[in-house]
């Protein structure tokens, strides 16, 4: 079996100590087991991701001496692939559109918290074949 580890920071700020620890562990594990260390940039939060933060992550990795074998790969560069897979899931009935408004979802969560429950999506009106599907928000299908 081949060992492959990855570090996937979100470029919404600079590399912090928690991210550096995760990167170090993944890098060390890959090196110890003769594996591959992959850097994937989670830039899907387009409103908050910045080129400066990406550069800060790359600079921080270099300063720490954490070289990667593959990457950096950028999530947003794979959006076409994600859309194709999502369309296939919709066509097969493995995913569905959710028409619950964001403010309704917020109210659902607040009511659950008030009852001392862990916030979760309530399945009212969900097609039965989709009740186990993790894709619950139409916004995922932009």
């Amino acid at each position: 079996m081949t060992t492959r580890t990855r570090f996937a920071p979100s470029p919404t700020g600079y590399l912090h100590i928690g991210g550096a620890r995760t990167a170090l562990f993944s890098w060390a594990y890959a090196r110890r087991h003769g594996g591959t260390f992959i850097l994937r940039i989670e830039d899907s939060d387009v409103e908050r991701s910045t080129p400066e933060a990406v550069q800060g992550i790359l600079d921080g990795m270099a300063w720490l001496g954490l070289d990667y074998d593959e990457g950096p790969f950028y999530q947003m560069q794979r959006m076409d692939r994600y859309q194709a897979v999502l369309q296939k899931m919709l066509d097969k009935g493995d995913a569905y559109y959710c028409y619950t408004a964001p403010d309704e979802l917020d109210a659902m969560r607040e009511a659950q918290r008030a009852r001392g429950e862990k916030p979760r999506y309530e399945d009212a009106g969900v097609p039965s074949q989709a009740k186990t599907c993790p894709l619950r928000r139409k916004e995922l299908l932009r």
Side-chain angles (χ1 to χ4, degrees):
M1 184 170 80
T2 304
T3 298
R4 293 174 60 83
T5 65
R6 68 166 165 74
F7 175 53
S10 179
T12 57
Y14 295 101
L15 184 63
H16 56 79
I17 191 71
R21 185 211 63 84
T22 300
L24 176 60
F25 180 83
S26 296
W27 176 87
Y29 191 87
R31 294 297 177 260
R32 170 70 175 90
H33 295 284
T36 303
F37 177 57
I38 303 162
L39 178 61
R40 183 178 78 197
I41 304 296
E42 293 283 348
D43 59 345
S44 56
D45 185 346
V46 294
E47 293 177 10
R48 297 186 318 141
S49 297
T50 66
E52 296 80 17
V54 171
Q55 191 58 53
I57 290 166
L58 297 175
D59 291 346
M61 298 279 291
W63 183 81
L64 291 168
L66 303 179
D67 55 327
Y68 41 91
D69 303 303
E70 295 180 18
F73 298 114
Y74 296 85
Q75 285 300 99
M76 290 303 292
Q77 292 176 354
R78 294 184 48 105
M79 195 54 67
D80 290 342
R81 170 73 177 138
Y82 302 145
Q83 291 293 336
V85 170
L86 190 51
Q87 188 58 54
K88 191 179 286 188
M89 291 174 69
L90 287 166
D91 294 344
K92 287 175 50 183
D94 292 335
Y96 62 94
Y97 286 99
C98 174
Y99 296 99
T100 307
D103 59 325
E104 292 173 302
L105 291 171
D106 290 340
M108 184 187 308
R109 289 184 198 105
E110 286 304 314
Q112 291 165 344
R113 285 186 190 106
R115 293 190 303 264
E117 299 172 0
K118 181 178 179 180
R120 70 193 184 301
Y121 185 81
E122 294 176 358
D123 292 337
V126 174
S128 61
Q129 74 275 17
K131 288 196 184 249
T132 59
C133 177
L135 302 176
R136 304 283 189 178
R137 296 286 303 272
K138 183 177 180 185
E139 289 80 8
L140 293 172
L141 304 174
R142 288 181 229 179

